[in-house]
Every structure is written in structure tokens, then in C-alpha cells.
Amino acid sequence: MTILVIAEHDNTSLSPATLNAISAASVISTFEDGAVEVLVAGHNAAAVAEQLTSVAGVSKVLYADAGHLENGLAENVESAVLEVLRNPTRQYSHLVVAATAYGKSIAPRVAAQLDVAQVSDVIAVLGADTFERPIYAGNAIATVQSVDTMKVVTVRTTAFPLASIGGGATVESVSPGHDAGVSRYVGRELTKSERPELTAAQIVVSGGRGLGSGENYEGVLAPLADKLGAALGASRAAVDAGFAPNNYQVGQTGKIVAPQLYVAVGISGAIQHLAGMKDSKVIVAINKDPEAPIFSVADLGIEGDLFEVVPALVKALD
Ligand SMILES: Cc1cc2nc3c(=O)[nH]c(=O)nc-3n(C[C@H](O)[C@H](O)[C@H](O)COP(=O)(O)OP(=O)(O)OC[C@H]3O[C@@H](n4cnc5c(N)ncnc54)[C@H](O)[C@@H]3O)c2cc1C
């Protein structure tokens, strides 16, 4: 049986999250003894399909090309995915997609159409039908066994490495499904930043309510991120207070990150925040309250006023 991965892309380049999903699919394939195929649903996205041919572990790239797939509308991608899965000449055991906003908008639709239960946010594969996933904001890990014939699985990208280069897959055109006609692409406002993308960054500098204002977030915290070549993150309190944009939020209801270095500045360390960053390799906390829970997960802690500590760090990095 074959495992199908849905590629996330912008018709030009592949999102790294797809490489994490391919790694997860490769682990499943060791239990299932099946091949891993990747579906590129897009428009004029041949370059993306081409990129995937050289990814280790991928046996075939399926390319569904149509105008209605250009903007990744979930209902239309769902149709393309179902077209592949329901093709009687193909036999799939799993559908795997990264648990990103894109993946999370498609997988449940497909699972509902197939009348199967989705296994969400998988962090480990214990068998072809058995997975681990965090529950209660990461405070417990559930082992879940799926008895459905088709397993629809979303995977937490930080739990699986990027698939390496080294494959020799072929590209095959497949039916793009139909235009569901229930949603329409209106426009997209992309944040343009010189900084690395939050979920892919090696270093993340995050600010919390302790920063006091958006001006301080930009004036005090951003220079540290710039010096370290880091992505900027924020606690929900900082986002709610308008210090930082919504897409900077790290945590249970924000983004999950696991960089090499996470610097938490003026963040107390509520469990909902820890759920999004506690798998970081090295955690540095800067907080004036020695009782702040962030210190319990920090590898290195600086107890002090961030308005003194952060500028001193920036100066030291000159
Ligand atoms: C359902 C739900 C989901 C949630 N999801 C998320 C989520 O995804 N992400 C998230 O972050 N939160 C989330 N929260 C909110 C979470 O519970 C906390 O309220 C939030 O994380 C607190 O943010 P904070 O640490 O910035 O603020 P605070 O808890 O107010 O902490 C501010 C910290 O700054 C320190 N500080 C203040 N001034 C200074 C100074 N001058 N120098 C040094 N330190 C200073 C203080 O000692 C304090 O520890 C969620 C809550 C709920 C209920």
C-alpha cells in the first residue's frame, strides 16, 4: 500500500514543512512496507514537482495542474486529493500532511469525505496504525491507534527532520478534480520580512508583556533578533496587546517552534506558551521575576530587567 503526502507550496517553491511530512511518511512506510508518493496540487507548479523528484524517500510525484488549484483553496485541493485517493488503480493506506494552516484546512475535509477519523498533530510513529500525539497543551502524550482502512494523519513538523536530498522520483500528471465553486480567491497580504520564517528559524527571539509596548518590542527586542539573525516571536499577551502581529504568536494557539536557540524575553512561561516552544534545543529566559515559570524550562536564565539586559546583550554582540 502507498502513502500519499500533500505538498505545500506557492506554485514556485516547496514549503519546508512538506519535507517534514515526507520524513514522517517514510517512517510509516517502514511499517507499511509501502512507497511514498507526493501530490502537488497547483497551477504552473511544475518547478515544485521537479524539486520533489530529488527528495529522498519519494517514489513518485503526482502533479495535478489546473487554474482552480492556483491559490490552494482548501475545497478545490480536497477535490484533487479525493480524485487521487479514489482512483481504483491506486491503493493508498495513509494520507499524510504537515499540521500547518494549509494542511489543517485540507486533511479534515478529506477525512470527512472518506468517513474516517483523522489522527492530528502526530509527533511519533509507533506502527502503521499507531501514533503519538500531544494532548492537554503538550502536558500528556496520547498513543492513538486508528482502525480505519485509510489513515488521515497530520504531523507536527518540529517532531520530524527535513527529508534529505537524494531521490530519483518521476512525475506523473493526475486529474486535478473539479472547482468546488464554494470559495473564491480574493487576495493575499503577505508579511515581507528579511528575517527567517518563524517555524523554520534556527534562532527565535520572543517577547512578552514585559516589553510594555510595541515601540519597545521594535526598539529593544528587534535589534537582538537582528544581531542573532533570528526570527521574532511573541507571547499571546504581547500579540493581544498589539506589540506584535498575530502571526508571531508562539504557543498552543499560535505556532509550534523548536529552534536551536529560543530566547524568551519578558515572558512568564504560561503552559500555553510552553506548549509552543519547550522542544527548543536551548532555551534562554530573561525575566525580572525569579519565580517566573519560564525559568523551570530554561537552560540558561538571566534574572534582571530586560531593558538593561537586552541592550547589554546587543552591545556585547557588536
Ligand atoms: C486557551 C488559551 C490558549 C492560549 N494560547 C496561548 C499561546 O498560544 N501563546 C501564549 O503565549 N499564550 C497563550 N495563552 C495565554 C497564556 O495563558 C498567558 O496569558 C500568556 O502566555 C502570558 O503572556 P506573557 O508571558 O507575555 O505575559 P505575563 O504572564 O504577563 O508575563 C510577563 C512577564 O514579563 C516579566 N517582566 C515584566 N517586566 C519585565 C522587565 N522589565 N524585565 C524582565 N521581565 C519583565 C514579568 O515578570 C512576567 O513574568 C493562552 C491562554 C488560553 C486560556
Side-chain angles (χ1 to χ4, degrees):
M1 297 278 263
T2 305
I3 298 146
L4 183 68
V5 176
I6 307 175
E8 182 170 344
H9 62 91
D10 61 1
N11 294 309
T12 311
S13 53
L14 189 67
S15 158
T18 309
L19 298 175
N20 302 112
I22 291 171
S23 283
S26 295
V27 182
I28 297 171
S29 76
T30 61
F31 295 101
E32 185 63 32
D33 199 21
V36 176
E37 297 183 357
V38 184
L39 172 66
V40 177
H43 188 40
N44 295 328
V48 178
E50 194 53 41
Q51 282 173 55
L52 280 159
T53 58
S54 58
V55 174
V58 176
S59 67
K60 199 186 280 180
V61 181
L62 308 178
Y63 177 31
D65 179 26
H68 66 264
L69 295 174
E70 181 171 9
N71 295 300
L73 296 178
E75 298 84 354
N76 293 353
V77 177
E78 167 200 336
S79 166
V81 174
L82 287 170
E83 194 82 14
V84 172
L85 292 179
R86 286 179 170 155
N87 184 327
T89 64
R90 304 175 186 279
Q91 288 219 309
Y92 293 101
S93 56
H94 296 73
L95 177 69
V96 177
V97 60
T100 56
Y102 179 79
K104 288 192 280 190
S105 69
I106 296 162
R109 295 172 191 281
V110 176
Q113 290 293 338
L114 298 175
D115 197 19
V116 299
Q118 176 178 302
V119 185
S120 307
D121 214 13
V122 163
I123 57 166
V125 177
L126 305 185
D129 60 359
T130 311
F131 310 93
E132 283 185 352
R133 58 181 302 266
I135 54 173
Y136 301 122
N139 284 305
I141 306 297
T143 302
V144 182
Q145 188 171 30
S146 165
V147 292
D148 286 318
T149 45
M150 163 71 80
K151 281 124 186 102
V152 174
V153 175
T154 68
V155 298
R156 185 174 283 201
T157 53
T158 52
F160 296 92
L162 296 171
S164 51
I165 299 300
T170 50
V171 180
E172 182 184 322
S173 288
V174 293
S175 163
H178 62 275
D179 184 349
V182 292
S183 57
R184 189 166 54 86
Y185 173 77
V186 176
R188 178 175 282 136
E189 282 178 35
L190 291 176
T191 315
K192 288 204 173 59
S193 170
E194 297 296 310
R195 298 198 178 94
E197 207 274 313
L198 185 52
T199 53
Q202 295 291 306
I203 305 177
V204 173
V205 171
S206 258
R209 192 171 2 223
L211 278 156
S213 70
E215 290 74 40
N216 291 338
Y217 187 93
E218 274 306 316
V220 178
L221 197 70
L224 180 61
D226 290 342
K227 276 273 153 39
L228 294 170
L232 275 169
S235 70
R236 176 156 152 185
V239 168
D240 287 351
F243 302 174
N246 202 278
N247 59 344
Y248 281 24
Q249 186 180 316
V250 171
Q252 186 187 339
T253 44
K255 290 182 175 160
I256 311 283
V257 300
Q260 294 297 322
L261 173 63
Y262 187 88
V263 186
V265 180
I267 291 179
S268 60
I271 57 164
Q272 295 89 354
H273 187 80
L274 301 186
M277 46 62 75
K278 68 177 164 42
D279 291 331
S280 304
K281 304 294 171 289
V282 175
I283 297 171
V284 174
I286 301 168
N287 200 303
K288 67 178 182 186
D289 174 9
E291 302 297 322
I294 191 75
F295 286 127
S296 65
V297 297
D299 299 284
L300 300 164
I302 303 177
E303 185 195 326
D305 187 339
L306 71 89
F307 296 105
E308 291 166 14
V309 176
V310 174
L313 277 176
V314 172
K315 195 148 177 272
L317 288 164
D318 264 340

